[in-house]
Structures are given as C-alpha cells and as structure tokens.
Amino acid sequence: MSRSLFVGQKEYFPGIDRIAYEGPGSDNPLSFKAYDQTRVVAGKTMEEHLRFAVAYWHTFCGGGGDPFGPGTRNYAWDTGSTPMDSARMKVDAAFEFFTKLNVPFYCFHDRDMAPEGDSVAESEANLQTLVGLAKERQDASGMRLLWGTANLFSNPRYMNGGATNPNFPVVAHAGAQVKAALEATVALGGQNYVFWGGREGYASLFNTDTKRELEHFACFLTMARDYGRSIGFEGTFLIEPKPMEPMYHQYDVDAQTVIGFLRHHGLDQDFKLNIEANHATLAGHSSEHDLQMCVDAGMLGSIDANRGNPQNGWDTDQFPTNMYDCVHNMIVVLQAGGLGQGGFNFDAKIRRESTDLEDLFLGHIGGMDAYARALVIADRIVSDGRLEELKAARYASFAEADAQRFEAGELNLSDLREIAANNPEPALESGKQERVENLINDYMFS
Ligand code: XLS
Ligand code: CA
Ligand code: CA
C-alpha cells in the first residue's frame, strides 16, 4: 500500500488500495469492471463524460440512523476531541476516500464539512477553517468541487423553511448561510452551486401565504445570484426539484415547475437544474422524463445519480444499479451533447444493514460501473440511429405544407377545421412502443 493514498497521520480505510479498472473478467469486488476512466466513447473519455462526484453528507456524515433507530456504523473520523477536531479528521478521511476511489469530484453542504458555531460569526469562521484545509487537500490531490450548497433544513430554526420561512429573522439566517456557502464554493473553485429546497414548502394552506413565500423565494435566489456573481462565481446555479419529504408540499415539485418558476422570475440565464433520479420518481415521473424536460428547455445542469425503491415511494437514495434506468438517462444526456460543467453526483447512501467500511466503496463502484456500462450502451443506441429514425417517422406528416404553416404559427383554428373537413379520416399510425422497447433490449443484451 502506498502511503500517498492517505493524508495526515491516520489511514481511515486500511486494507483498501486505489480502485483500478480490472475489466469484466475480474472477480475482485474492489475493482471496476466497466469504468475505465481513459476509455474513449463518442469522442471523450469515460471520465470526461461522467464527471463522477462523491456526496460528502451520505458518505462521511451518515452512520445509518433512521427514524426507528440510531446509526449502525461508528466512523474513526467522528472520534475527535471537539467537533472541529472531528471535522478536520473527516476532511482527511474524505480525501483518502476520493483518492482511493479515483473519482474526480465531490459535493458538500456547509454543515457537512464544518460544525455550526454559537453565532453567525463562529459558524463562518468554522467553515473558513475547514474550507482552507479542503483547499490544501484539493491542491495536493487534484480533486475538484462539483458543487457546494448550504444546509437550510437541519437546524430547528428552519422548521418552517429557509428563504420561504414566514419569520423574517430566519430568512436573514438563511441569507447569512448562503453567503458563506457561496464564498466557500468560490474559494474551492466549485463549478456549480445548488439550491435544494429542503423545507421550502408548507404543511397546510390554512396557515400559509404561498404567493408571498414564492415571491420571497425568487427575491432570495436573485440576491444569491447577484452576490455570487459579485464575488467571482462563474459557475452555474442549480435548483434541485423534489416534490415532498421533508415538507408535505415542496415548492420545487419537479423539473417543469422549476423551469416555469425560473423563467417567470427572469432567473433562467443563471440557473439550470440538478435532477435527482429518486426525486423525479417521488414526483411520479421517471428520471429520464425530468432530464428530458430540462434538455428541452436548455436547462439541464447536473445529475444526482441514485434510485428509489420500486416497492415504496420514499426517498431511499440507493446507489444506481438498475441498468434500464441508467441507459435511458444516458441516452438523454448523450443526445443533449453531455452535461457541460455538471456531473453525476452519487447522492446515495449504503443501507443501514451495510456495516463494513468497504461497503462505502462497493456502493460507489457499483454506481460508477452501472453508468459506465450505460454510457457504452447508450452510445451504441444513439450512434446507430434507428431509434431516432423511428421517432422521426412518427412526425413525418409535419413535412407537409399545411403542417409547416401550422408549426410556423400561420394557421388558426378555422384553418384546421377546413383541413379536417376536406380530407379523409386520418389513418391510425402505430406508436411502435413494443418495437422500440425490444430494440433497447437488443442493444442492452447483444
Ligand atoms: C435531499 C437532497 C439533498 C440535496 C442537497 O433529498 O437530495 O441532499 O441534493 O441539498
Ligand atoms: Ca434524495
Ligand atoms: Ca440530491
């Protein structure tokens, strides 16, 4: 084992070496079977396409607790003599993990990295200290920050929301936190800044002025945009939709809701969307649906790669291993020309029953291999072109002169009535759903 794989005095993942690509024939569970970072697919390496990120919160802050019981994992980095001490150890553990996993990016909330202090000033100072350490570790390892964000949902003061809280002093606290988190993101060269509307929503209409809260939200996002730009943040602001959990109703329900909101408030030039697969399914969609809505609007920013559980509607944040979903998502991403400065962030946690240290690696390896395989399959599908041909064939009638005038906005309803009345009953055109589904399976398993 090379000592360069860990930093500081202590090795937090002993016995685990750098995870390498060993190919499909390997039976080493701590190796990549499909993710070969240098392999070129559709003109870019796998690393460039996928831009994988580790989520600081699930991987280093989640011990497996749930509403029915405490955590099942005790981590060595949680044993510092003070919260700041543990936070420093956690940074070292995190960078050891990133280096061993060989992943290029990570994402964090302010409170994942630095403990909250007794005052705004102390919280800011804590964050600056830890960000300084993370910056040193980034410079030494080559790791990059995909996005930063602020946790506006854990502290009890945010129980009724952050930016949309009916109590203005709480809104001010949310502002203070976002200001500091933006500064941290800039200091770490973050490529994006995320707003997930944790408790931006409500439980009862009887006590909530939704119009006012949504206006406050837009006001707050505008201030954040302006402050970010004023301190040199050149990345993309991202909104991450989610329909519920923890709030009964959350304002950022799904992709189309957020797109409409951003456009309505003139924020669509600076903001895009971060689509989490499990949030899309919680909203009653598929993840590829929400991705496609973003692509159609020119607003796909990044992806939180995970999955829910088909047996319930919860936000279980499992690692993505369902190949059909991964392939579908990758088709949308490839057809859109890639994620730009976004990436695939594993907003995923190992199960409460997964108590070995190596399970953290196994979860990420599984997700990375799943998306690497999906990339190869999706590239085959997209470059072969048959799927697109079948799709285009369904719209062939729009090449006709009247249809062209319709698309140009040159017809009115009376014109449509004349066309309908003067032509024979339209022939039934099959949607060919079974044909396209079979085709996808042929690509996946041939
Ligand atoms: C929670 C969200 C959260 C965001 C970042 O459900 O997924 O983790 O990604 O605040
Ligand atoms: Ca989630
Ligand atoms: Ca997420």
Side-chain angles (χ1 to χ4, degrees):
M1 152 103 41
S2 145
R3 279 198 53 91
S4 64
L5 292 180
F6 66 97
V7 286
Q9 300 302 308
K10 190 172 164 57
E11 185 173 25
Y12 290 96
F13 301 95
I16 296 178
D17 218 326
R18 182 175 264 245
I19 309 300
Y21 171 71
E22 293 184 10
S26 169
D27 66 356
N28 173 10
L30 289 167
S31 73
F32 296 118
K33 311 294 182 302
Y35 179 63
D36 176 0
Q37 65 179 122
T38 57
R39 175 170 169 190
V40 174
V41 179
K44 283 195 288 187
T45 63
M46 283 191 163
E47 185 178 358
E48 289 164 339
H49 273 289
L50 297 165
R51 295 166 57 85
F52 287 128
V54 172
Y56 212 93
W57 52 102
H58 285 312
T59 306
F60 312 109
C61 310
D66 70 15
F68 303 94
T72 53
R73 299 181 289 271
N74 296 309
Y75 291 130
W77 52 88
D78 281 333
T79 56
S81 49
T82 63
M84 279 299 277
D85 223 33
S86 290
R88 285 191 195 88
M89 291 160 74
K90 205 192 291 179
V91 169
D92 285 349
F95 279 82
E96 180 185 332
F97 183 84
F98 303 150
T99 307
K100 287 184 169 178
L101 185 63
N102 197 11
V103 79
F105 290 101
Y106 71 105
C107 303
F108 77 106
H109 299 84
D110 50 358
R111 301 298 186 241
D112 307 336
M113 192 179 273
E116 183 154 9
D118 289 336
S119 65
V120 168
E122 192 182 329
S123 299
E124 288 168 346
N126 288 353
L127 185 60
Q128 279 163 13
T129 302
L130 271 304
V131 163
L133 183 60
K135 178 77 172 72
E136 281 174 32
R137 301 291 183 249
Q138 278 188 203
D139 292 346
S141 62
M143 278 295 300
R144 287 169 288 163
L145 177 65
L146 186 65
W147 49 261
T149 187
N151 176 332
L152 303 182
F153 43 90
S154 294
N155 188 301
R157 79 167 74 90
Y158 297 124
M159 66 182 184
N160 289 309
T164 63
N165 199 297
N167 191 15
F168 177 67
V170 179
V171 177
H173 265 275
Q177 240 184 280
V178 168
K179 177 175 178 291
L182 276 167
E183 288 162 4
T185 302
V186 170
L188 294 171
Q191 307 204 358
N192 305 273
Y193 183 88
V194 163
F195 289 89
W196 166 59
R199 294 183 196 270
E200 312 296 9
Y202 68 95
S204 171
L205 267 186
F206 292 130
N207 65 3
T208 308
D209 185 339
T210 51
K211 186 170 194 297
R212 201 162 182 184
E213 291 194 2
L214 278 163
E215 276 161 10
H216 293 169
F217 195 29
C219 222
F220 188 93
L221 293 175
T222 305
M223 281 177 196
R225 189 263 322 264
D226 293 346
Y227 185 71
R229 295 301 182 222
S230 79
I231 60 167
F233 177 64
E234 290 174 359
T236 312
F237 292 93
L238 301 173
I239 302 247
E240 180 179 324
K242 184 175 183 179
M244 63 193 81
E245 247 191 37
M247 298 308 269
Y248 187 49
H249 298 276
Q250 279 181 217
Y251 290 130
D252 298 328
V253 178
D254 62 0
Q256 284 181 289
T257 306
V258 171
I259 290 164
F261 175 85
L262 290 172
R263 285 180 171 162
H264 179 70
H265 292 285
L267 292 165
D268 50 318
Q269 296 308 307
D270 296 274
F271 283 76
K272 289 183 174 173
L273 280 78
N274 181 40
I275 296 299
E276 177 175 317
N278 201 168
H279 295 180
T281 51
L282 208 51
H285 301 305
S286 62
S287 52
E288 64 268 18
H289 167 85
D290 259 18
L291 291 176
Q292 188 66 54
M293 293 303 105
C294 293
V295 171
D296 292 349
M299 291 170 79
L300 176 60
S302 200
I303 291 179
D304 269 9
N306 63 9
R307 77 186 145 106
N309 187 315
Q311 277 73 45
N312 62 39
W314 309 340
D315 187 23
T316 57
D317 287 345
Q318 289 169 246
F319 278 92
T321 52
N322 181 320
M323 286 307 300
Y324 201 83
D325 290 342
C326 296
V327 167
H328 219 142
N329 291 343
M330 275 314 304
I331 292 173
V332 178
V333 169
L334 281 185
Q335 285 180 331
L339 285 177
Q341 59 194 28
F344 284 84
N345 168 46
F346 291 113
D347 192 350
K349 58 187 174 203
I350 55 175
R351 298 303 87 194
R352 187 168 190 262
E353 305 79 13
S354 301
T355 49
D356 291 342
L357 210 46
E358 70 162 20
D359 295 334
L360 288 176
F361 282 89
L362 296 177
H364 286 87
I365 289 169
M368 291 165 79
D369 270 348
Y371 268 102
R373 290 187 176 105
L375 169 62
V376 172
I377 296 166
D379 173 50
R380 230 185 278 152
I381 294 171
V382 171
S383 46
D384 181 76
R386 270 184 295 167
L387 199 63
E388 272 311 293
E389 274 169 32
L390 284 162
K391 194 193 284 185
R394 298 190 68 207
Y395 299 87
S397 64
F398 279 86
E400 304 298 327
D402 281 341
Q404 291 278 296
R405 290 180 59 219
F406 167 80
E407 285 193 335
E410 291 165 10
L411 298 186
N412 58 33
L413 267 194
S414 303
D415 296 327
L416 291 185
R417 190 260 162 211
E418 289 309 301
I419 294 166
N422 294 321
N423 280 284
E425 176 65 25
L428 296 182
E429 302 263 4
S430 170
K432 307 307 291 179
Q433 183 166 334
E434 293 75 13
R435 169 86 180 94
V436 290
E437 286 174 351
N438 294 352
L439 195 56
I440 295 292
N441 280 348
D442 290 345
Y443 288 113
M444 283 183 67
F445 300 105
S446 60

